[in-house]
Amino acid sequence: LSIAKQKMKENATLYLVSGWSNLREVLNSIHKCDLHIINHIIWKFNFGVYTQSKFVSSHYHILMISKSDKSKITFNQYCRFGPQEKLNSGGSASYNDMEDVFIINKDMKPAKDGEIKNNNKLPDELIDKLILYSSNEGDTVCDFFMGNFTTAYSAIKLGRKISGFEINKELY
C-alpha cells in the first residue's frame, strides 16, 4: 500500500477487495500508510463456504480509499441510472445502486474443456460499477492483480486506459 500511495495521483481512488479473515491486517496497513477510507462496501454474492460450526461467509469487503481526506476524487453519481429513474418497486434506481451493500452474483459457469478456471475472478458487473462511479472516459485504471484481465477488459470496454501487473504466472 505504501508504494501504491507514492504512485497515486492526488484525485485517485483505490478499491481494495478483502475477505473478513484478513480485514484487520488490511485496515491496519491502510492506517499505517496514512491513507483515507471513503467507504466500506459489502459485496454480497450468491454462495459461500459451507460450514457446520459458524455462519456461512458469502461476502467480501471492498474498501474505497483515497490518498488523503482532502483528495477530490471522481464520483459519478448518475453514471448508471438517471436522477429520475425508478425501480419496479417505485424507489430511486440511483439511490439503490449507491447503497454500500452490492448484491452481485459470482459467475458460476464451469470451465470449458481444457480451460483453467480462476476462482478469484470478480464479476464484470462489479468491476464495471466501480470503474463507472470512480473514473471518466480517457482516465487510466490500474489493476495490481490482473489475473485473467477482468478489470482490463472492463476498462477498455468503458473507454478507459489500462495499466496493471500480475506476478503469479499460474493466474496470468
Side-chain angles (χ1 to χ4, degrees), residues 110-156:
K112 297 174 187 166
D113 288 341
E115 181 182 62
I116 298 171
K117 186 165 179 167
N118 178 350
N119 292 325
N120 296 321
K121 182 186 180 316
L122 300 175
D124 295 350
E125 182 184 352
L126 176 65
I127 299 303
D128 288 354
K129 182 173 180 170
L130 298 176
I131 290 173
L132 285 167
Y133 273 104
S134 297
S135 68
N136 297 310
E137 284 191 33
D139 285 353
T140 299
V141 173
C142 183
D143 185 352
F144 296 99
F145 303 95
M146 290 191 82
N148 57 359
F149 290 73
T150 303
T151 300
Y153 291 130
S154 287
I156 291 166

Side-chain angles (χ1 to χ4, degrees), residues 10-166:
E10 198 56 44
N11 64 339
T13 303
L14 173 78
Y15 286 100
L16 197 149
V17 181
S18 174
W20 70 270
S21 57
N22 296 316
L23 189 59
R24 179 189 322 215
E25 289 80 10
V26 169
L27 291 168
N28 287 341
S29 295
I30 291 167
H31 178 72
K32 182 178 177 184
C33 292
D34 200 29
L35 290 164
H36 175 69
I37 298 176
I38 300 164
N39 264 128
H40 186 152
I41 301 158
I42 301 297
W43 166 36
K44 164 79 174 92
F45 45 85
N46 48 330
F47 68 92
V49 177
Y50 179 75
T51 179
Q52 292 183 342
S53 59
K54 61 181 183 172
F55 293 105
V56 173
S57 181
S58 60
H59 73 280
Y60 280 123
H61 300 264
I62 302 175
L63 302 171
M64 182 183 183
I65 302 166
S66 65
K67 198 167 186 173
S68 79
D69 61 349
K70 303 204 179 354
S71 298
K72 296 195 184 308
I73 60 153
T74 297
F75 188 77
N76 299 313
Q77 184 176 3
Y78 299 113
C79 62
R80 292 176 22 117
F81 299 96
Q84 305 305 320
E85 286 185 69
K86 301 290 183 197
L87 299 169
N88 290 339
S89 61
S92 166
S94 178
Y95 180 89
N96 185 68
D97 197 53
M98 290 191 312
E99 287 186 349
D100 62 2
V101 176
F102 298 174
I103 300 173
I104 299 173
N105 288 338
K106 282 188 172 187
D107 180 7
M108 300 297 294
K109 292 181 225 163
K112 297 174 187 166
D113 288 341
E115 181 182 62
I116 298 171
K117 186 165 179 167
N118 178 350
N119 292 325
N120 296 321
K121 182 186 180 316
L122 300 175
D124 295 350
E125 182 184 352
L126 176 65
I127 299 303
D128 288 354
K129 182 173 180 170
L130 298 176
I131 290 173
L132 285 167
Y133 273 104
S134 297
S135 68
N136 297 310
E137 284 191 33
D139 285 353
T140 299
V141 173
C142 183
D143 185 352
F144 296 99
F145 303 95
M146 290 191 82
N148 57 359
F149 290 73
T150 303
T151 300
Y153 291 130
S154 287
I156 291 166
K157 172 181 73 181
L158 297 171
R160 276 64 170 175
K161 298 174 201 155
I162 186 68
S163 177
F165 314 91
E166 181 56 71

